[in-house]
Amino acid sequence: MIKSFHLNKQCNLLVITALSMMISCSDKPSRVEIDGTTQGTYYHIVYYDSEAKNYQPEIEAKLKAIDMSLSVYNPISLISRINNGDTTAIIDDYLRDNLMMSATVYEQSDGAFDVTAKPLFDYYGFGNEYVASHDKSIDNSVVVDSLLQYVGFDKIMYDSVTNKLSYKKQGVTLNFNAIAQGYTTQVVSELLDSLGVSSYIVDIGGEIYAKGRKPDGKQWMVGIEKPSETLNSERTLQTKLPLENMAIATSGSYRKYYEVDGKRFSHCIDPRIGYPVTHNLLSVSVIHKNPALADAWATTFMVVGIDEAAKILSAHPEMEVYVIYQDYDNNLTMKKL
């Protein structure tokens, strides 16, 4: 397993792929199915090819290249070197793409999406450097306030001429967990495009992109998971949706959390204030043509809640958003924003 971004994103995505099986006919493209592990999770890819070619070696090469660029769990990756103060490192396309898209979502969300929030995730116990103990001191406002000095895009310096990245103060770090799996789905999809594959579905840890339709004319179908009552509850589907030439990403707060003295600490942390979110939103699914942006916006909407998400969405008609929340009677409700 490639140990990479893992599942400790600001808000971890929770979509289940529902793929229909079909019987191969001699006059139709063959169905090829590829499975594996990457970034601490699974990948599942299905495509149709007239020669039934196996493109797994090419896909694995892309996954390894992305890991060497963006994995904060790989001590020799590009991002790890930069986070550790290497000012000679040259930014590659993978890191640059993630930085630019993250900066855009950061600005359009007024800071609700922030890839410099790693110190906060570490403090609450959701990062790769566990700092806090799970006791009452974890809610210490003095500590949180002290960590906020390392959070914010204004702490990043990127020189587009030299293609180098540095930080304005020691202690600032980048972590693309909240966008990287969606970006990886995007890169793998573009690879299949370049190989001439026109009918496929790529699922990397629940970040999904579907291209075209299956040979029988049917659309690809994906499922949105029903929020569970407990961490170990059986996974079931809330609904299924068709997907064609689009991506879907889902973020939720109900699978990754812990409780201290009856108070729940979710891994969905608002980087603007430094605390886990407390609203009644349980799951957000974003449909977008770009898998990376679908991933980033799903995380963002999970942080800001339904009302603020609706305001942001009014300026972004390119997105389709479904939310699942707990109403005043503790019933699960799903609606399209």
Side-chain angles (χ1 to χ4, degrees), residues 131-264:
V131 176
S133 59
H134 290 183
D135 56 30
K136 294 180 181 179
S137 66
I138 203 165
D139 199 19
N140 190 320
S141 60
V142 175
V143 176
V144 172
D145 288 345
S146 69
L147 293 175
L148 288 174
Q149 66 179 304
Y150 306 112
V151 178
F153 256 84
D154 59 317
K155 313 296 191 305
I156 302 172
M157 296 184 294
Y158 172 60
D159 189 330
S160 60
V161 176
T162 62
N163 223 14
K164 293 182 179 180
L165 183 70
S166 60
Y167 306 130
K168 291 185 178 179
K169 65 186 311 179
Q170 186 175 2
V172 177
T173 53
L174 278 175
N175 188 329
F176 294 109
N177 284 359
I179 190 173
Q181 282 185 359
Y183 178 74
T184 304
T185 298
Q186 174 186 326
V187 171
V188 172
S189 298
E190 291 170 349
L191 171 63
L192 291 174
D193 290 340
S194 70
L195 294 170
V197 180
S198 59
S199 174
Y200 61 78
I201 188 165
V202 176
D203 177 359
I204 299 180
E207 317 290 356
I208 301 169
Y209 182 81
K211 177 70 174 290
R213 296 192 177 195
K214 290 178 280 188
D216 60 3
K218 293 182 179 179
Q219 291 177 296
W220 299 98
M221 297 295 295
V222 297
I224 295 176
E225 184 180 343
K226 181 179 181 179
S228 57
E229 294 182 2
T230 66
L231 293 175
N232 299 317
S233 296
E234 182 179 353
R235 293 175 184 263
T236 59
L237 293 182
Q238 177 78 26
T239 190
K240 294 181 181 180
L241 298 171
L243 203 64
E244 182 177 352
N245 301 327
M246 297 293 281
I248 186 169
T250 297
S251 290
S253 63
Y254 54 91
R255 282 282 180 183
K256 198 171 183 63
Y257 67 88
Y258 57 84
E259 293 184 354
V260 178
D261 294 335
K263 183 174 182 179
R264 178 175 292 193

Side-chain angles (χ1 to χ4, degrees), residues 15-32:
V15 177
I16 302 173
T17 311
L19 300 173
S20 299
M21 302 290 291
M22 70 169 286
I23 300 175
S24 236
C25 299
S26 58
D27 60 340
K28 292 183 179 180
S30 298
R31 184 182 190 274
V32 181

Side-chain angles (χ1 to χ4, degrees), residues 37-66:
T37 56
T38 186
Q39 301 173 12
T41 186
Y42 69 90
Y43 72 82
H44 181 71
I45 299 168
V46 177
Y47 59 87
Y48 290 91
D49 184 76
S50 58
E51 299 179 15
K53 292 181 179 178
N54 184 350
Y55 292 121
Q56 190 160 20
E58 290 89 344
I59 292 170
E60 291 277 2
K62 284 290 185 183
L63 296 175
K64 183 177 180 179
I66 293 173

